[in-house]
Amino acid sequence: MIDRHAARRLLQLLTVLCPLLLAACPQWASADEDAAALERNVKAAFIYKFAAYVEWPSTAFADAESPIVIGVAGDDAMAAEVARITASRQIGGRPFTVRQVGDADSLNGLHILFVARADSARLGQFVKVLQSRPTLVVTDGDGARAHGSAINFLMVDGRVRFNIANDEAEKRGIKLSSRLLSVAQNVQGAAQ
Amino acid sequence: MTAAREVLGEVLLTNMKYSVRQKFMRVVLTTTLVALALAGVSMLVYELHNFRQTAVDDLMAQAGILGQASAPALAFNDRKAANENLSTLRARPGVVQAAIYSANSRVFASYFRDPAAKGVLPAFPEAEGYRVEGNQLSVFKYVRDPTGFLGTVYVQANYGVLDRLWSYLGILAVVMLISLMVAVLMSYRLQTAVTTPILAMTRVAREVMERRDFSMRVAKTTEDEIGYLVDTFNEMLAEVGKRAHALEQTNLVLQRETEERRMAEAALRAADQRKDEFLATLAHELRNPLAPLSNALEILRRAGKDEGASQIAREMMTRQLRQLVRLVDDLLDVSRITTGKIVLHTETVALNSIIRNAVEMAAPALEARGHQLAVDLPPQPVMLQADPVRLAQVFQNLLNNAAKFTPRGGRVSLGVELDGKVAAVTVSDTGVGIPAPMLGEIFDMFVQVDRSLEREQAGLGVGLTLAKRLIELHGGSIHAYSDGPGQGSRLVVRLPVMEAGVASPS
C-alpha cells in the first residue's frame, strides 16, 4: 500500500514536472510531441477507415454521392489530421467532409462524431442531443462506454486498439461489419 | 519427313528379314503403341495443365479469402487477428507457409505448417500472381478494402504435381499394357486367319517345286479374298499340272517317234547294206561257173575225138549251167517277191507227193554231203489246195539248207504231223544251228547266218525269204527253232489241209 501511495505521488510529481521538463529540454519535448502526433495520426487513420466497415441507414445520406461527414469535438489538431487524411479520398463513391464540433447544435448530419479525451465531459450532452440519429460515436478514453459511445480507443502494449459497443451502434441504426468486430479488442453487445 | 517415312517403312514392312506374321504383328503393335502414347501424352498434358490451373485458382481463392478476412486486421494494425486468420490454414495441410505483408512491404503476419522447421519467407511481396518452384506453388494476392490497398497475402503450398504425374503415368502404363495385350491377342487371331492359308500355300508351292507333284491342292478355309487367292492358286496349279502333263506326253511321243525313226533308219541302212552284199555275192556267184565253163570248152576243143574227156567236159558244163540257171531263177524270184508278182497255180494235191518230189530234188545235195535222210510221212493221204511246184521248191530249199548247214555225215529228218486242219511239216538237222537273235531274221531278204561257208555252198540268201513268202501265199506259216549254235535247227511249216472227205488223189 505504501508503494502504491508513493507511486501515485511520484506520478503527480511527474505530471506537474513534465511540462517544465519539456519546456526545459526541447529534445524531450520534441520526442513527446512526436509520439502524440503519431498516436493522433493512427487514430485519425482509424476514424477514416471505420467508414469502410460501417453501414449507415440509407436515410443518413441525401443521395448516392453525399459526403460522409465527420465531426471532431475537442481536438483541433485531430480535426486537421482527419481532414488531411480524408482529403481527396472516397469510400464507396462518397467524399469526406470534416468539421470541428463546438457545441451540441452543430451535430446535425454527422456520420461519425469523434469526441476527444479533452472534451469527454461534453460527451453525455452530445449523446443526449444525438438521441437515435445515425451517428457513429467514437471516443478516446476509459469510461466513455457508459456515455453511449460505439467505438472507444485505448492503448494496448503501446498500440492503438479499440473496444466496440455494438449495441450502441445498433441503437442508432448503424451496422458494424463483423470483420471490424473481429479486430476489436473487446466487443460488447450482440453482433448481428 | 521422307527419311522418317523410310525408317518407318523399313521397320514396319519392307524389311524382308521378317515373315508376314512378324510384319503384321509389328504393324499392329506399333499402331497401338503410337495411338496409346499420343492419347496418353495429350491427356497427360491436358490433365497437368488443368491440374495446375485448378491448383492455382484454388490457392488464389484461398489467398483471396484470407486477404478479405485480414483486411481489417491490416487496416487497424491488428497482428493478432491477422495471425489468427493465417492459422486457419492449419486445416489445409498442403499449405507450407503463408504470410501477410503490410502496405509498406513488411511482414505483418506469418504462418508455418511446421513451426520447428521455419522456412524462409520472401523478403518482399511480389506482384499479384502465382509462381511455381519445383514442387511448390506460391501465390500473391493483394488485400484491399474500400479505403484502398492494404497489403499482400502470400501463400505457398505443395504443388503435388509430381505425385499426380506419377499416379497418372502409372494408370497410363496399366492401360497401355492391357491395350497392348488385347491388341496382340486380337491381331494374333486375325493374322492366324490371314497367314494360315498363306503359309499353307507357301508350303504347297514349295512341295510342288520339290516333288513336281502338281496334283497337290491348298485347303480353302475362308470365303474372303484369301479364299479367292487359294482358289486361284489351286486353279493355277491345275493348269500348270495339265500343261506339264501335256508337255511330258508330247516329249514321250517325240522320243518314241525319234526312236522309231532311228530304228527305221538303222533297218534301212541294214537293208541297204544287205543289198550291197547281195550284189557282191551275186556277182561272185555268177562269175564262179564261168571259169569251169570256159575250161570245159577248152577241153572240148582240144579233146577232139577223146570221148572220155568230152564226156567229163559236158558233165562239167551241164553242172555249171544248172548252177547258173538256179541263180537266175533265184534272181527272178527275188524280183517277183519285191514286186509282189508271184502267181500260184493252185490245184488239189497230196502233200506226200509234193514232199517226195522235194526229197528227190534235194537228194543229190544230201548225198553229196554224205547226210542220212529220214522221211516220216503220214499213212493217210493229206490233201492240200496248193501250187505243187512252188511248195516242192520250198521243201527242197529247206532240205538243201539242212544239207548245207550240217557238217558232213549228219542227219536230216523230215516229218509230218497232222493237227486238225493243219499239217505241220518239220525239217530238222544236226547242224550248226541258229543263234537265238537270228531266229526271227533269217526269213529277211539277203540274210545269211554264216558268211564263212564254202563258196560253192553259198546261196544268194533269198531262199528262206522266198519260202516264207510262198508259205504265206498258201495261207500257212513258217517258224525256225534252234537250241543254239551247234545244236542243230528245226524249221516247221504249217499248212492248212483240206477236209478229208473232199480230198481225192491227184
Side-chain angles (χ1 to χ4, degrees), chain A residues 83-142:
Chain A
R84 191 184 62 79
I85 287 177
T86 57
S88 77
R89 284 196 171 162
Q90 292 189 343
I91 286 180
R94 298 182 189 280
F96 285 89
T97 302
V98 180
R99 69 176 187 232
Q100 297 180 23
V101 175
D103 51 31
D105 298 337
S106 58
L107 293 178
N108 282 335
L110 287 182
H111 296 105
I112 298 175
L113 171 63
F114 174 70
V115 182
R117 194 184 301 253
D119 215 3
S120 56
R122 285 200 290 164
L123 181 60
Q125 186 192 345
F126 288 145
V127 169
K128 196 182 288 176
V129 172
L130 285 173
Q131 294 183 333
S132 64
R133 281 185 226 168
T135 300
L136 180 70
V137 179
V138 180
T139 54
D140 187 10
D142 297 333

Side-chain angles (χ1 to χ4, degrees), chain B residues 198-478:
Chain B
I198 290 178
L199 287 179
M201 269 167 60
T202 312
R203 196 179 56 247
V204 168
R206 191 179 298 125
E207 283 183 18
V208 165
M209 287 305 292
E210 282 169 1
R211 291 203 243 145
R212 297 263 152 210
D213 179 5
F214 293 103
S215 68
M216 299 190 73
R217 292 291 179 269
V218 182
K220 186 181 175 184
T221 52
T222 54
E223 289 295 335
D224 53 8
E225 291 87 341
I226 301 287
Y228 183 70
L229 185 63
V230 167
D231 276 348
T232 313
F233 181 77
N234 284 339
E235 280 166 23
M236 245 165 62
L237 216 51
E239 184 66 26
V240 170
K242 212 158 68 188
R243 296 203 177 180
H245 182 71
L247 203 63
E248 225 165 87
Q249 286 302 109
T250 311
N251 268 344
L252 222 59
V253 169
L254 274 176
Q255 207 172 338
R256 202 158 53 220
E257 280 178 0
T258 308
E259 181 66 19
E260 277 171 5
R261 197 162 296 155
R262 202 176 57 76
M263 282 170 69
E265 204 179 290
L268 271 178
R269 203 172 291 136
D272 195 46
Q273 195 182 352
R274 282 205 303 272
K275 203 167 233 171
D276 287 347
E277 285 167 4
F278 168 73
L279 278 175
T281 309
L282 178 64
H284 204 82
E285 291 295 314
L286 286 175
R287 178 68 182 79
N288 268 347
L290 295 183
L293 275 177
S294 177
N295 289 340
L297 274 176
E298 187 64 21
I299 289 169
L300 276 180
R301 195 164 57 86
R302 285 188 188 169
K305 297 290 182 199
D306 186 349
E307 267 307 308
S310 297
Q311 181 66 24
I312 291 169
R314 273 198 298 277
E315 282 174 5
M316 189 189 291
M317 288 175 78
T318 304
R319 209 166 47 243
Q320 295 304 330
L321 269 177
R322 203 186 295 130
Q323 177 72 3
L324 273 176
V325 168
R326 190 171 61 81
L327 280 171
V328 173
D329 281 349
D330 278 359
L331 270 178
L332 284 174
D333 285 341
V334 165
S335 89
R336 284 193 194 107
I337 288 169
T338 50
T339 54
K341 280 181 183 165
I342 295 177
V343 181
L344 293 183
H345 302 287
T346 55
E347 55 190 87
T348 305
V349 61
L351 179 62
N352 286 3
S353 65
I354 292 172
I355 291 175
R356 268 187 222 106
N357 281 344
V359 167
E360 268 174 36
M361 286 190 288
L366 288 165
E367 282 165 13
R369 302 275 291 169
H371 294 316
Q372 219 177 344
L373 178 65
V375 179
D376 179 20
L377 294 177
Q380 77 273 32
V382 177
M383 303 307 290
L384 303 170
Q385 193 69 25
D387 184 331
V389 180
R390 288 296 192 186
L391 218 49
Q393 189 185 345
V394 168
F395 291 128
Q396 182 202 349
N397 182 270
L398 293 183
L399 288 169
N400 276 340
N401 275 345
K404 207 189 292 180
F405 295 112
T406 301
R408 287 179 177 279
R411 261 164 45 123
V412 177
S413 56
L414 189 153
V416 177
E417 280 175 31
L418 278 174
D419 181 14
K421 293 179 182 177
V422 175
V425 181
T426 303
V427 177
S428 50
D429 59 43
T430 57
V432 295
I434 307 166
M438 299 291 283
L439 284 175
E441 290 184 20
I442 56 170
F443 298 105
D444 290 348
M445 189 84 82
F446 313 132
V447 168
Q448 287 177 320
V449 174
D450 188 357
R451 297 187 181 282
S452 65
L453 287 173
E454 301 162 41
R455 262 318 359 141
E456 55 171 305
Q457 301 283 332
L460 291 175
V462 296
L464 281 175
T465 310
L466 186 60
K468 184 169 189 259
R469 189 80 192 119
L470 288 173
I471 295 298
E472 281 168 1
L473 284 173
H474 280 90
S477 66
I478 180 166

Side-chain angles (χ1 to χ4, degrees), chain A residues 46 48-50 52-53 89-92 159-162 179-180 182-184, chain B residues 67-69 71-79 81 144-148 150:
Chain A
F46 275 26
Y48 154 65
K49 289 176 182 174
F50 285 149
Y53 298 92
R89 284 196 171 162
Q90 292 189 343
I91 286 180
R159 288 173 185 277
V160 179
R161 306 293 339 143
F162 50 86
R179 292 155 68 209
L180 183 63
S182 72
V183 294
Chain B
Q68 189 81 3
L74 274 169
F76 300 107
N77 200 23
D78 189 343
R79 288 171 190 272
R144 294 172 191 280
D145 73 353
T147 64
L150 294 173

Side-chain angles (χ1 to χ4, degrees), chain A residues 145 164-170 174 176 181 187-192:
Chain A
R145 154 85 180 94
I164 288 178
N166 202 27
D167 46 357
E168 290 293 338
E170 282 171 11
I174 295 171
L176 297 182
L181 302 186
V187 177
Q188 293 188 7
Q192 270 187 313

